[in-house]
Amino acid sequence: MVDWNSLLAYNTVKVVKVRDWRLGSMHYLFQLCIFLYVVCYAVVLERGFMFKEQIVGGSVTLNSLPPFPGSAQKKNASELTYCCDEGDNTCVQNVSVLPCIYWDNLQAEYPPASNVEMAISTRVTVTPQTAPDGCSWSSWDESCEWTNGAAQDLFVANAESFTIRIRHGVHGQQVNKEGLSTGPHAIPGRLVDSDGDAVLRTWPDNDAPYPNQGAERSGDIISVAEFLTAVDLDMDTVTTDSDGDPTNARYDGINILVSINYEMTGVSGSGLQYTYIPRLLSDLEYKIEEPQILGSANEREILNRHAVRLIFVQTGELGSFDFTSLLITMVTALGLLAVANTLTNLMMANVLDMRDLYKWHTMEVSEDISAVAKMDPATFKTKMDVVKHELKAGSGRFKSISASSSKVIHAIRICAMHLLSTPTSLLCIGSTHQGFIELQCDCQCFWYLRDKCRNCVPFAA
């Protein structure tokens, strides 16, 4: 007949309740810290209930404009410390002072802006070149070579006063959420410094000196000077290059990486905003050469440009509520709760002054069974059957007095296991007194309780 109680038995762990307020307080403190971490940080701050999608790209459109005529940003050469009159013999030309040229956005913006970067020229070296007669782009052979004329260095006046209009947007691939910087549904934005500590501009901005920065936005308008302020750079501060020669950012050009970081707002993450975070790529100049064909087919100019180059990168994440993500977060939390038990057990067993008593109540140590392991299988089975028979109903050669304590019962079983390797039977009498077990037995049987054994009396089988 099938023993269904044994076949379908339920296995579970045995719990020891240690009645000590110190351990309980410590355990609840650990659990409280884990609870606060899971709820306040993992679920609320990190939005562990959302499916999140990293932004890998979007749309960025860039346009530039020079300072408006008559505006305070458009200054004459006499007002600019880096400009001098080319015919002024008292002007000493160096990396800080050069003749200036006035360019509009079509001249200063080279190469033409793409959807990721824009460069506004700050210095240009103009080198005229001529080719022998009969040489042109359509009739060029191995004898044709360009001959350089006298080069001229020029600063572009008011380069930092150029403004850039930035229109950008993103849309999730898996998350149905969109963020735009233009139109009536434009999301809020801001410009911060490279450390992210100071907010320099916000959008919508009805007080900005530029048009259409309020509710009906046509794009964020930011000057080159504002980007320079964000990275804490003065283009006229003289430094030294890798060769030890004096230079500055206006002379060599610079690269600024501008991250457009999109982030969700509110506890539910339903809102969206973006942040411009400019960062200077240190010790990295920017230059590019542009050939310009003149009126004659054998004449051209090479414009060696140095510029403030702005590189735009869209980053951040979009998200929406997802039950699976919430379930993963909660399962992780349950796993962390086990850490509270582990920490409490470590403190209980190794740190607190009553650790020996805690071990006595929470730990059971078996007898050394190395002798049993050396028995042949037939002998082991025979002796084991005898032990099982004697242990039934608490009768036979093993008797337990006041055996309500699990330690007493465990002690009797250890004595029984000892019978497997010795011909002498043992009388094991157990009782509880002030949390300890008093035993009458063969002390070799209880080597780990030798100091607790009293009146050890073996008797004949």
Side-chain angles (χ1 to χ4, degrees):
M1 183 177 179
V2 178
D3 184 359
W4 292 104
N5 289 326
S6 299
L7 184 64
L8 300 178
Y10 172 68
N11 297 324
T12 185
V13 296
K14 184 178 181 180
V15 177
V16 177
K17 185 174 183 178
V18 181
R19 298 175 60 190
D20 190 326
W21 69 269
R22 297 173 301 173
L23 285 177
S25 301
M26 189 184 308
H27 183 241
Y28 291 133
L29 177 62
F30 290 148
Q31 286 187 327
L32 177 62
C33 293
I34 292 172
F35 175 81
L36 293 176
Y37 167 78
V38 171
V39 175
C40 298
Y41 179 77
V43 176
V44 178
L45 294 181
E46 289 296 312
R47 299 187 178 92
F49 56 87
M50 302 185 73
F51 172 80
K52 300 174 185 177
E53 175 186 351
Q54 296 296 317
I55 294 173
V56 295
S59 173
V60 179
T61 303
L62 305 171
N63 305 104
S64 67
L65 279 178
F68 298 110
S71 66
Q73 288 76 28
K74 187 169 186 178
K75 300 179 180 179
N76 296 323
S78 59
E79 301 177 272
L80 301 172
T81 58
Y82 54 86
C83 289
C84 70
D85 189 349
E86 189 175 0
D88 186 358
N89 294 328
T90 64
C91 176
V92 179
Q93 299 184 19
N94 51 43
V95 296
S96 299
V97 180
L98 290 175
C100 284
I101 186 172
Y102 286 85
W103 274 354
D104 63 15
N105 58 304
L106 298 180
Q107 295 168 301
E109 182 187 318
Y110 187 86
S114 67
N115 63 343
V116 293
E117 66 178 82
M118 171 179 283
I120 302 296
S121 299
T122 58
R123 178 176 72 93
V124 60
T125 301
V126 183
T127 304
Q129 292 183 332
T130 58
D133 292 337
C135 293
S136 66
W137 64 271
S138 60
S139 58
W140 195 270
D141 57 32
E142 67 277 3
S143 63
C144 295
E145 290 185 0
W146 292 102
T147 302
N148 292 336
Q152 182 182 21
D153 271 346
L154 302 167
F155 279 141
V156 178
N158 300 308
E160 58 267 60
S161 297
F162 276 65
T163 54
I164 301 172
R165 183 174 67 173
I166 310 168
R167 293 174 288 182
H168 58 87
V170 292
H171 196 291
Q173 300 296 318
Q174 296 174 283
V175 176
N176 186 25
K177 185 174 290 187
E178 180 182 66
L180 302 173
S181 68
T182 60
H185 303 293
I187 60 178
R190 60 180 183 165
L191 169 67
V192 301
D193 63 7
S194 56
D195 296 325
D197 299 328
V199 179
L200 307 179
R201 289 275 305 278
T202 58
W203 290 271
D205 185 3
N206 294 316
D207 298 326
Y210 313 113
N212 299 322
Q213 298 294 281
E216 296 290 336
R217 289 154 54 189
S218 62
D220 302 334
I221 300 177
I222 308 175
S223 67
V224 175
E226 289 176 310
F227 282 118
L228 295 174
T229 300
V231 297
D232 193 22
L233 177 68
D234 182 354
M235 287 206 298
D236 297 313
T237 299
V238 177
T239 58
T240 56
D241 59 18
S242 57
D243 297 325
D245 298 325
T247 186
N248 59 34
R250 190 183 301 277
Y251 191 85
D252 275 347
I254 56 171
N255 292 270
I256 298 177
L257 183 66
V258 183
S259 296
I260 308 177
N261 185 59
Y262 301 85
E263 54 190 349
M264 294 174 286
T265 60
V267 176
S268 64
S270 57
L272 195 65
Q273 69 176 16
Y274 61 88
T275 304
Y276 296 108
I277 310 174
R279 292 186 175 90
L280 178 66
L281 300 180
S282 304
D283 302 323
L284 184 63
E285 68 175 69
Y286 178 74
K287 63 174 290 184
I288 187 171
E289 292 185 331
E290 175 194 8
Q292 288 188 343
I293 304 299
L294 302 180
S296 175
N298 63 340
E299 292 181 341
R300 70 178 183 181
E301 286 181 339
I302 302 298
L303 304 184
N304 186 357
R305 297 170 177 261
H306 295 257
V308 174
R309 181 190 184 199
L310 300 169
I311 308 164
F312 293 86
V313 179
Q314 293 170 287
T315 62
E317 60 185 11
L318 304 173
S320 61
F321 176 79
D322 181 64
F323 179 76
T324 302
S325 300
L326 176 61
L327 185 61
I328 292 174
T329 302
M330 300 312 296
V331 169
T332 304
L334 293 177
L336 287 175
L337 288 177
V339 176
N341 298 338
T342 302
L343 293 176
T344 306
N345 289 336
L346 288 175
M347 296 291 293
M348 178 179 66
N350 301 287
V351 177
L352 297 181
D353 53 352
M354 301 293 290
R355 52 185 176 272
D356 291 335
L357 179 57
Y358 297 144
K359 288 181 181 179
W360 170 259
H361 283 287
T362 59
M363 215 178 271
E364 291 185 352
V365 181
S366 70
E367 176 66 12
D368 184 0
I369 61 173
S370 57
V372 178
K374 298 177 182 178
M375 290 184 182
D376 62 273
T379 303
F380 175 79
K381 185 178 184 305
T382 300
K383 292 196 173 187
M384 198 64 195
D385 290 340
V386 173
V387 170
K388 290 179 179 180
H389 175 74
E390 298 289 348
L391 285 175
K392 284 184 178 180
S395 60
R397 283 185 271 176
F398 304 99
K399 297 182 179 179
S400 172
I401 302 177
S402 300
S404 59
S405 169
S406 62
K407 279 291 182 180
V408 174
I409 298 174
H410 183 62
I412 296 174
R413 289 174 179 170
I414 291 178
C415 284
M417 288 296 295
H418 190 69
L419 281 178
L420 296 175
S421 57
T422 179
T424 303
S425 298
L426 304 173
L427 175 63
C428 298
I429 303 176
S431 64
T432 59
H433 178 64
Q434 295 181 352
F436 292 94
I437 305 300
E438 297 181 1
L439 301 168
Q440 293 182 355
C441 61
D442 183 350
C443 290
Q444 294 299 319
C445 177
F446 292 94
W447 57 270
Y448 64 99
L449 296 176
R450 187 172 302 171
D451 58 330
K452 303 294 189 299
C453 291
R454 292 186 298 181
N455 302 321
C456 299
V457 181
F459 67 98

